[in-house]
Amino acid sequence: MAGLMAGFGCYTHAIVRGIPTSLAKESLRTCQAEVDLSKAQREHDAYVHILRTTLGLEVVELPAEETLPDCVFVEDAAVVCGDTALITRPGAESRRRETEAMKGALKDLNLNIVEMTDENATLDGGDVLFTGREFFVGLSKRTNQRGAEILADAFKDYAVSTVPVMEKLHLKSLCSMGGPGLIVIGSSEPAQKTLKIMQQMSDHRYDKLTVPDDLAANCIYMNLPDKGQVLLHCTAEEYPESVKVFDKLNDYKLFPVSNSEKVKVDGALTCCSVLINKKSGN
Amino acid sequence: MTTESGADSEAKQQQQQQEESVAAPKENPKAAEPASPQNQLEQLPAAVGHSTPARKEQILCHQDTPEEDQESRQSSTSRLSRSPLKGMKKVKIMQCKVTLLDGSDYTLTVEKRVKGQVLFDKVCDHLNLLEKDYFGITYRDVEQQKNWLDPTKDLKKQIRTGPWNFAFNVKFYPPDPSQLTEDITRYYLCLQLRDDVVSGRLPCSFATHTVLGSYTVQSELGDYDPEELGSDYISELRFAPNQTKELEEKVMELHKTYKGMTPAEAEMHFLENAKKLSMYGVDLHHAKDSEGVEIMLGVCASGLLIYRDRLRINRFAWPKILKISYKRNNFYIKIRPGEFEQFESTIGFKLPNHRAAKRLWKVCVEHHTFFRLVSPEAPPKKFLTLGSKFRYSGRTQAQTRRASSQIIRPAPFFERSASKRYNMSQSLDGAPITENHETLMRDSDSAANARGDIITTVTTEKKAEEEKAEREDARADTTADAGTPTAVRQEAKTDSEQTDFAFDGDITATEDTEPPAEMVKHQTNISELKRSFLETDASVPGLTEWERRLSSSPARSPRSDEPPMIEPLEEEQQDEEDEKPAGDETKAEPKVTEAAEYLLKCTADSSLADGAPPQGISPSATMDDDVFAAEEKTPDSHDQLSEKSVDRLSPGSVREEVSQAITDKRGMLIILKEAEVEAEGKDDVGKLLLSKMEALVEEASPVKGSPKKAMASWVSEVARAEESEVFRVLTEEMPKTFEQSKPDVAQITLSEAAPLAVSTLGWISPSVTPEKASADVEQKKLLATEMEAAPEDHTRADAVCAKEMPVVHTETKTITYESAENDMNGDTDHGVLLSAQTITSETTSTTTTTHITKTVKGGISETRIEKRIVITGDSEIDHDEALAQAIKEAKEQHPDMSVTKVVVHKETEITPEEGED
């Protein structure tokens, strides 16, 4: 039976992209920090390894592009839900061309491509939280109302609510989905406020998992056929208190993934991949 | 998304012109007569209303006279029986055309002066539809706007000048269509949704169009059969606003996989997918926010949604809305104050015109009542309540579910005609198909001007009342931008020409009007607690699947010192108000002190409660406010018979089932055991064992010899006397932590559902006649033993119950109340009392007291809810049912809490004549 909106967290494919050397110096960042490029490279390799080898996803690896220092953060370039892929118009001018390679890759996967051509629209995938039942779009420095409208047009089945993003770069800088109906949320005041707004806007009910560190709230949930519930989250070295919280998730296969370098340029775990379910229903 | 649905009549431009020529002020002798205010108010529109269509209609005889009008209204209940008309006037018959959901037209005739209900019933009969309450009839007004036909009002007053053309539509989209009882109901819902989809009112993705389309094909054409159907069989059907070949191919692809699926199954699948769409059942209205930004207001089962373009920018769940009102073309919602706020805030929206504002208001009132209330609110008595007396008068969802459970007919055969409407490349209302929201609601701004042409006569009495109302209005609701008094009056006049309403400015529609005075006082204080514990649909912080899973995991339980990690989100936080998104389009208007209004309301409410509820409908309260609504039973009504459940707390499907069982006289959840088992000092002691609940039955009746007899007489209600009964259900929250025992307890609480069901079933057969009663007791005993055998070592509850002694019931109520409390306070908390609230609601037959105590013990907050339900009445009360109901509801309402004590106390005043036994 074809069913819509089933199988939250089910993925078959992932799109990732290599790290250009320009990342260290030229990539956008909200605070200054020295990036150890080779360490970043090692971390990214480990991330891809988990997706491909440990979890068995079909990983499409796009080549790094030196002129696009932020290109490793593929999440911002596309929003994929079901068999539809929305190619975004990233808020940062320097990142607009990142979508080209992404579009090609998604086309190759036979997804329905919707492009955001409106020049007044901006949207970063990092501002888009899909809960399985609806979308929340953070209105941030990178994402505007028009961008959210186009997203709503692209995914008509779902309610799309807008949420202001306070302080942080992206909506998902302080939250992510930790399972069906489970929102992982940071404990900072902006994070908690954001969550309250989301719950007010929603017809659905969510549970929350509060972690001490906002950045640790960005994790990757998957529900894989032979793996069960999988959660990729921060390491104990980075956020020891938050890891204690994740450790309590008993029914999960937990994968701490180190992200100490990319985080310096505002890259969280979800930023580095676009996850796709090619077996979704129809 | 609903109001525009369905096929429709063509625009009739000339009519409007005609109306203008005819609608010159008519003097209305009746209106000036000293009559009850109600009559008087209805009179005015009636006289104006019926005069115009008379000209055009083909099948009519002569013009109504006002006297006739009066008569027809006064013979309020039955319109089918020819009410005694003066003289020998011929009954005027009107031909009506009703466009059905499959696109076909059904032509029928009704008497001209009948109410909307007659037409609706006839159409439902024609459709063989029993679960009618989700449906309604629409008509186009002079502005070509769709309006819902009010079943309680005369057809001719609603139709006025237009042709008698209607459409049959879904009015309330059931959030869970699988709970509908009959396939035929689902079929009609499907037809509506198919039109919603094709017309673009219900937007969906390509994938969804494909899936919904494939089920449509399966339902209409059956299995894919290449020989019979050919390869292009599908292009005649419509699935989407912009149907492409690609879509048709995908639909066919899916259709081929459905071999053997019955139409009913296909429709069920269709609905399961459609109900998840974000715009399912959302009735959109164009509006502007206070800054003039174009927005859409969406009314749905859960509340009011605010959209800007396609984006949801705010949402107000019904529990958060205290009051809905409109004034001229403004629509207002008053929002419950946040946790740290003292005052409510009022948010205003501008609608295209007055009629649009009123239409939105009515739709809100109806949706709120249907989906949130237990039973419809009684129409306010004039003099006591300001504003419109419009109320939703149909059954609520809770009532209709209960009623539907009584449907016993075999599944009716019905033909799923290859629906006509999907062959058209146009939407039914003749508008070109588009996916654009903007075309959905055609509240054109220009239409507002038309109003000015309509003039009416206002009698002096009416003016006086309006003025009075205005004064009170102004006192009660000092909304900052309230219109000038003159403007309001004018508006009211205009409106009174068009409807039955006396005046429409600032109408209190919901929650704070109906609850009894005590409720109103406590409402704000306990709102936080209510949020946490009494909201059932979404915000109950109950054990979620998630928590269950975690708590059941073996490695989980030994931990004791961990703080709870995963918490359910409470949907309605009280302090949300001050944290509205910056991008929020809706601006709260200056806050208003409501004290004066509260006072006013309290007075009105208490007087309302004192008097007998009008027409057998007792004032109901909202579930949101944790009031038990009592439905007064009048034995002559079939409906009410089927609604014997004593109180209801909240909507919920499970509860529905239980109450169904109970109303069927099948259900019996409390198992009585004989006295010998556990005598506890007093005469006869029975033991009630309900899962982990243990109830003690004290038989103090001097007339009863053996417990069997006592019970027999209890069950069979031999004693026909005035009885009052106290049920006490004490629920205790299990703090939701991961620490050891708690999740376990929660687990077991859940597992209790099974034995409960067993006992319910076990009670189906025995009838409750005195002869069979002892057999019944035997059976109870048997069941009780079974239940006891089950490992039950949790918190127990003792219940003292069943005392029959001659007392005056009004006194008894108090006495019982106190004694019960003394009995109960055995297990007191040693924590810190955070808050304690008592709410009492009272109707003529039931008094419910809810006592909420919040304590903190060693960092764990514990909430204790005590409910006392006193049922007083001189009719037969099925105590077992009532108790079962109370317990079941308490459990369902607070799935995260456990019932720790149940006390049943029954006192009967035996009249001297009735020395039974």
Side-chain angles (χ1 to χ4, degrees):
Chain A
M1 252 21 58
L4 300 163
M5 309 177 192
F8 181 68
C10 298
Y11 301 111
T12 54
H13 292 64
I15 297 178
V16 298
R17 197 164 190 178
I19 297 180
T21 51
S22 54
L23 174 101
K25 294 277 182 290
E26 291 161 49
S27 67
L28 302 169
R29 61 203 77 188
T30 48
C31 50
Q32 292 307 313
E34 278 291 304
V35 178
D36 178 340
L37 192 66
S38 62
K39 189 175 177 203
Q41 192 65 59
R42 282 197 304 279
E43 284 176 348
H44 189 64
D45 289 347
Y47 179 94
V48 174
H49 178 81
I50 284 180
L51 294 181
R52 178 181 282 143
T53 314
T54 317
L55 300 177
L57 296 183
E58 194 86 29
V59 175
V60 178
E61 204 162 359
L62 302 175
E65 168 62 57
E66 284 305 322
T67 58
L68 298 169
D70 291 292
C71 70
V72 64
F73 304 123
V74 288
E75 175 186 51
D76 292 323
V79 177
V80 180
C81 179
D83 53 7
T84 300
L86 172 68
I87 309 299
T88 67
R89 192 166 175 277
E93 184 85 48
S94 64
R95 299 191 60 190
R96 300 267 157 84
R97 284 195 304 114
E98 288 179 28
T99 58
E100 291 165 14
M102 178 57 71
K103 189 168 102 185
L106 293 168
K107 263 188 181 159
D108 291 345
L109 290 170
N110 284 320
L111 294 172
N112 304 319
I113 307 289
V114 180
E115 288 189 76
M116 194 176 282
T117 47
D118 189 328
E119 293 196 352
N120 296 316
T122 62
L123 183 115
D124 277 14
D127 278 319
V128 179
L129 179 71
F130 177 63
T131 69
R133 292 302 304 271
E134 64 190 315
F135 284 97
F136 292 104
V137 177
L139 298 179
S140 66
K141 294 185 189 76
R142 301 281 178 85
T143 300
N144 63 19
Q145 175 93 10
R146 186 74 196 116
E149 280 168 19
I150 292 170
L151 179 123
D153 259 340
F155 303 104
K156 289 197 184 72
D157 292 350
Y158 300 98
V160 179
S161 305
T162 53
V163 182
V165 174
M166 293 159 276
E167 297 182 23
K168 291 290 191 296
L169 177 67
H170 284 141
L171 177 63
K172 279 195 276 189
S173 304
L174 43 73
C175 67
S176 65
M177 294 308 289
L182 176 66
I183 296 176
V184 183
I185 185 81
S187 50
S188 74
E189 200 182 317
Q192 293 295 317
K193 272 193 175 179
T194 303
L195 185 71
K196 273 189 180 159
I197 291 165
M198 290 197 288
Q199 75 195 31
Q200 186 194 327
M201 301 278 258
S202 176
D203 297 324
H204 304 293
R205 201 176 153 255
Y206 298 103
D207 294 329
K208 64 172 174 179
L209 181 69
T210 308
V211 293
D213 311 284
D214 280 0
L215 284 171
N218 184 294
C219 54
I220 300 175
Y221 169 81
M222 291 185 223
N223 187 359
L224 300 176
D226 46 352
K227 302 282 186 302
Q229 306 209 86
V230 168
L231 197 71
L232 276 60
H233 60 81
C234 59
T235 59
E237 289 73 44
E238 295 162 273
Y239 304 105
E241 291 306 312
S242 293
V243 168
K244 281 183 195 164
V245 176
F246 288 120
D247 280 342
K248 295 187 180 120
L249 297 172
N250 260 32
D251 293 352
Y252 281 71
K253 284 204 168 64
L254 299 172
F255 295 95
V257 179
S258 178
N259 190 40
S260 61
E261 294 308 311
K262 280 179 286 187
V263 78
K264 291 175 184 169
V265 288
D266 304 308
L269 288 178
T270 59
C271 297
C272 303
S273 59
V274 170
L275 300 173
I276 297 147
N277 184 13
K278 275 301 289 170
K279 283 179 200 144
S280 64
N282 340 299
Chain B
M1 310 289 291
T2 62
T3 48
E4 293 296 304
S5 56
D8 223 334
S9 52
E10 333 72 64
K12 301 247 160 148
Q13 300 282 27
Q14 354 123 280
Q15 265 156 29
Q16 204 158 340
Q17 288 163 358
Q18 273 186 15
E19 184 188 43
E20 282 164 27
S21 61
V22 187
K26 285 190 196 310
E27 35 75 57
N28 178 2
K30 277 287 153 191
E33 277 180 19
S36 82
Q38 197 153 329
N39 277 342
Q40 177 201 337
L41 296 166
E42 278 191 355
Q43 193 54 46
L44 190 64
V48 183
H50 71 70
S51 58
T52 35
R55 291 192 162 187
K56 294 176 277 252
E57 290 303 338
Q58 323 85 331
I59 324 164
L60 45 89
C61 307
H62 28 224
Q63 188 111 355
D64 285 342
T65 64
E67 287 78 21
E68 201 180 276
D69 265 13
Q70 183 88 346
E71 291 240 18
S72 68
R73 240 188 324 282
Q74 278 166 354
S75 66
S76 54
T77 39
S78 72
R79 332 84 180 161
L80 283 171
S81 65
R82 320 252 141 139
S83 59
L85 290 179
K86 268 191 207 164
M88 300 298 286
K89 291 253 166 67
K90 279 189 227 161
V91 178
K92 277 160 280 180
I93 305 291
M94 296 296 290
Q95 189 168 41
C96 303
K97 191 181 86 179
V98 182
T99 305
L100 303 178
L101 287 165
D102 65 358
S104 64
D105 285 337
Y106 171 52
T107 307
L108 71 165
T109 55
V110 294
E111 286 179 33
K112 189 180 177 190
R113 46 177 189 72
V114 296
K115 305 229 182 290
Q117 187 72 42
V118 174
L119 177 63
F120 179 65
D121 286 345
K122 283 192 170 191
V123 175
C124 290
D125 283 352
H126 172 74
L127 293 170
N128 202 7
L129 179 66
L130 292 183
E131 293 175 277
K132 331 175 180 179
D133 303 292
Y134 301 95
F135 300 83
I137 289 193
T138 57
Y139 65 94
R140 293 277 186 184
D141 62 17
V142 288
E143 294 164 8
Q144 287 306 303
Q145 295 298 315
K146 281 226 169 158
N147 287 273
W148 290 105
L149 194 68
D150 186 333
T152 64
K153 292 196 173 63
D154 288 3
L155 274 176
K156 62 174 190 277
K157 284 197 285 177
Q158 302 182 65
I159 299 307
R160 310 176 61 74
T161 61
W164 286 43
N165 291 345
F166 305 89
F168 182 78
N169 290 116
V170 172
K171 187 174 191 179
F172 304 113
Y173 289 68
D176 185 1
S178 67
Q179 285 198 20
L180 295 174
T181 302
E182 295 201 297
D183 287 339
I184 193 167
T185 316
R186 272 186 286 272
Y187 169 65
Y188 291 126
L189 176 58
C190 275
L191 289 181
Q192 175 71 69
L193 286 163
R194 281 157 64 177
D195 188 55
D196 291 347
V197 168
V198 169
S199 67
R201 284 186 302 268
L202 181 55
C204 24
S205 66
F206 182 86
T208 303
H209 280 309
T210 312
V211 170
L212 296 182
S214 65
Y215 289 126
T216 298
V217 178
Q218 183 70 20
S219 145
E220 278 210 4
L221 305 177
D223 285 355
Y224 174 74
D225 182 349
E227 285 176 22
E228 196 192 316
L229 297 173
S231 59
D232 198 28
Y233 66 99
I234 230 162
S235 54
E236 293 192 348
L237 296 165
R238 297 286 308 170
F239 311 114
N242 304 308
Q243 192 158 320
T244 59
K245 205 77 204 152
E246 187 195 2
L247 175 65
E248 289 173 11
E249 280 162 16
K250 293 270 186 192
V251 168
M252 278 191 277
E253 231 171 77
L254 271 180
H255 177 216
K256 288 173 190 169
T257 67
Y258 297 155
K259 284 256 154 59
M261 187 189 291
T262 67
E265 284 167 356
E267 283 150 14
M268 186 68 99
H269 288 303
F270 180 99
L271 294 174
E272 284 304 303
N273 283 291
K275 75 171 188 191
K276 293 178 188 163
L277 296 169
S278 79
M279 297 307 282
Y280 171 84
V282 179
D283 184 9
L284 284 179
H285 299 251
H286 276 294
K288 284 179 180 166
D289 69 6
S290 56
E291 292 176 340
V293 177
E294 288 273 358
I295 54 167
M296 300 282 273
L297 300 180
V299 184
C300 66
S302 69
L304 190 62
L305 304 165
I306 320 291
Y307 295 92
R308 183 173 156 192
D309 292 297
R310 282 194 190 280
L311 299 175
R312 185 183 292 182
I313 55 172
N314 215 335
R315 172 178 175 271
F316 301 99
W318 293 128
K320 209 163 163 52
I321 300 176
L322 284 171
K323 179 173 160 180
I324 313 168
S325 59
Y326 74 99
K327 193 176 273 172
R328 286 172 294 148
N329 63 332
N330 294 309
F331 173 79
Y332 301 103
I333 52 174
K334 191 197 284 173
I335 305 300
R336 209 177 270 285
E339 199 175 1
F340 305 108
E341 287 171 0
Q342 270 183 301
F343 306 116
E344 296 93 348
S345 53
T346 300
I347 301 173
F349 304 94
K350 274 222 178 333
L351 275 286
N353 56 49
H354 170 76
R355 292 170 67 94
K358 180 171 165 183
R359 202 160 39 234
L360 171 60
W361 175 81
K362 281 177 114 172
V363 167
C364 282
V365 168
E366 293 182 318
H367 273 72
H368 172 265
T369 308
F370 186 80
F371 289 109
R372 293 296 305 173
L373 298 192
V374 169
S375 58
E377 297 172 315
K381 287 183 170 176
K382 281 305 170 200
F383 294 137
L384 293 179
T385 314
L386 302 173
S388 166
K389 60 186 168 50
F390 172 78
R391 290 291 183 272
Y392 173 65
S393 55
R395 285 197 282 225
T396 64
Q397 180 172 243
Q399 289 172 328
T400 194
R401 280 186 185 162
R402 260 175 283 150
S404 306
S405 70
Q406 310 287 310
I407 296 174
I408 44 159
R409 68 173 179 182
F413 172 81
F414 57 98
E415 202 179 334
R416 288 168 172 89
S417 52
S419 49
K420 287 140 196 81
R421 60 172 39 171
Y422 303 107
N423 302 339
M424 303 184 288
S425 57
Q426 280 199 323
S427 168
L428 284 165
D429 45 15
I433 288 162
T434 155
E435 289 186 80
N436 198 340
H437 276 167
E438 271 59 56
T439 60
L440 302 183
M441 302 296 299
R442 251 167 264 113
D443 287 351
S444 63
D445 293 75
S446 59
N449 303 331
R451 258 186 307 116
D453 301 332
I454 305 163
I455 306 157
T456 193
T457 314
V458 181
T459 62
T460 41
E461 284 92 332
K462 191 163 190 306
K463 265 183 189 154
E465 184 161 341
E466 279 171 9
E467 277 159 7
K468 184 178 143 222
E470 270 164 31
R471 283 197 301 274
E472 291 180 8
D473 244 27
R475 214 188 310 147
D477 198 349
T478 50
T479 308
D481 70 345
T484 62
T486 41
V488 174
R489 175 136 23 106
Q490 248 170 3
E491 203 54 38
K493 276 187 225 166
T494 308
D495 186 67
S496 72
E497 195 274 338
Q498 297 167 336
T499 72
D500 289 339
F501 296 167
F503 42 82
D504 289 297
D506 191 39
I507 293 153
T508 298
T510 53
E511 325 226 19
D512 62 347
T513 55
E514 288 301 326
E518 300 94 314
M519 273 308 303
V520 177
K521 282 183 229 141
H522 287 292
Q523 202 167 51
T524 43
N525 313 355
I526 63 148
S527 49
E528 177 63 9
L529 286 171
K530 274 180 293 183
R531 257 346 125 237
S532 314
F533 302 113
L534 305 177
E535 265 274 17
T536 46
D537 47 357
S539 61
V540 163
L543 268 193
T544 62
E545 190 54 47
W546 168 255
E547 285 170 299
R548 258 176 246 139
R549 218 173 39 230
L550 283 168
S551 58
S552 62
S553 132
R556 179 88 274 139
S557 23
R559 299 189 198 227
S560 58
D561 52 348
E562 312 268 12
M565 296 321 287
I566 295 172
E567 307 142 53
L569 288 183
E570 286 159 32
E571 197 179 50
E572 305 301 322
Q573 289 287 339
Q574 286 309 295
D575 51 347
E576 274 161 17
E577 270 311 294
D578 50 352
E579 296 171 356
K580 276 205 213 122
D584 197 339
E585 299 303 320
T586 56
K587 276 283 186 313
E589 293 188 6
K591 287 165 190 165
V592 187
T593 309
E594 295 289 342
E597 189 174 29
Y598 264 144
L599 274 174
L600 199 71
K601 295 270 163 49
C602 292
T603 324
D605 289 330
S606 51
S607 346
L608 198 72
D610 289 345
Q615 289 151 9
I617 308 159
S618 59
S620 78
T622 64
M623 300 156 182
D624 323 333
D625 289 336
D626 187 36
V627 180
F628 299 72
E631 294 141 12
E632 199 168 49
K633 282 138 244 164
T634 45
D636 53 338
S637 153
H638 172 77
D639 270 10
Q640 282 161 327
L641 261 181
S642 69
E643 290 159 9
K644 213 191 162 183
S645 59
V646 182
D647 61 76
R648 334 228 80 227
L649 295 174
S650 55
S653 52
V654 195
R655 188 168 49 76
E656 240 59 40
E657 286 159 29
V658 173
S659 70
Q660 283 163 15
I662 286 170
T663 47
D664 284 344
K665 293 248 173 209
R666 291 181 284 140
M668 176 70 74
L669 295 168
I670 308 301
I671 293 124
L672 294 167
K673 225 182 157 201
E674 278 188 66
E676 301 90 274
V677 184
E678 276 191 37
E680 287 217 355
K682 287 203 179 177
D683 316 331
D684 301 317
V685 182
K687 200 176 174 196
L688 292 175
L689 189 78
L690 168 59
S691 319
K692 72 182 176 202
M693 249 176 291
E694 212 177 49
L696 288 174
V697 182
E698 272 186 17
E699 274 294 344
S701 166
V703 280
K704 305 277 165 64
S706 77
K708 275 189 190 178
K709 267 191 185 171
M711 256 175 301
S713 61
W714 185 13
V715 171
S716 61
E717 305 272 353
V718 171
R720 198 163 290 163
E722 289 206 280
E723 297 160 311
S724 75
E725 178 158 346
V726 178
F727 291 155
R728 196 147 182 260
V729 181
L730 185 91
T731 43
E732 199 172 347
E733 188 198 13
M734 288 300 144
K736 294 174 298 303
T737 66
F738 285 139
E739 71 186 80
Q740 76 276 41
S741 60
K742 303 291 187 187
D744 286 342
V745 175
Q747 278 302 113
I748 290 150
T749 310
L750 290 161
S751 68
E752 282 162 15
L756 278 175
V758 171
S759 63
T760 308
L761 290 172
W763 202 244
I764 294 173
S765 41
S767 63
V768 280
T769 58
E771 300 87 69
K772 284 188 179 173
S774 57
D776 290 354
V777 175
E778 288 306 317
Q779 197 166 343
K780 287 175 201 163
K781 193 177 173 184
L782 197 81
L783 280 163
T785 320
E786 279 175 23
M787 303 283 294
E788 235 176 5
E792 298 286 352
D793 52 352
H794 313 288
T795 26
R796 300 186 145 194
D798 293 333
V800 188
C801 87
K803 205 179 285 177
E804 295 198 24
M805 51 168 71
V807 264
V808 180
H809 77 285
T810 43
E811 289 171 7
T812 311
K813 207 157 54 179
T814 323
I815 294 160
T816 314
Y817 186 109
E818 294 306 326
S819 71
E821 181 150 69
N822 294 341
D823 287 349
M824 292 310 299
N825 282 348
D827 60 345
T828 47
D829 318 282
H830 307 289
V832 183
L833 182 70
L834 285 184
S835 65
Q837 307 288 343
T838 305
I839 321 156
T840 308
S841 79
E842 190 165 5
T843 68
T844 47
S845 61
T846 305
T847 304
T848 300
T849 308
T850 305
H851 191 81
I852 302 173
T853 317
K854 211 171 187 178
T855 52
V856 171
K857 274 187 205 170
I860 296 165
S861 138
E862 183 182 73
T863 301
R864 197 172 267 274
I865 301 177
E866 279 186 43
K867 282 178 187 143
R868 276 187 210 89
I869 306 158
V870 179
I871 305 162
T872 318
D874 49 6
S875 60
E876 290 187 1
I877 297 170
D878 192 330
H879 311 84
D880 297 349
E881 285 182 4
L883 176 57
Q885 181 71 17
I887 292 168
K888 191 71 189 170
E889 284 188 2
K891 294 184 83 169
E892 279 159 6
Q893 200 192 10
H894 312 288
D896 52 324
M897 301 173 89
S898 59
V899 179
T900 54
K901 281 193 182 176
V902 179
V903 176
V904 182
H905 190 97
K906 177 182 152 194
E907 300 196 4
T908 309
E909 182 192 14
I910 301 167
T911 51
E913 299 85 54
E914 286 185 68
E916 38 81 44
D917 225 5

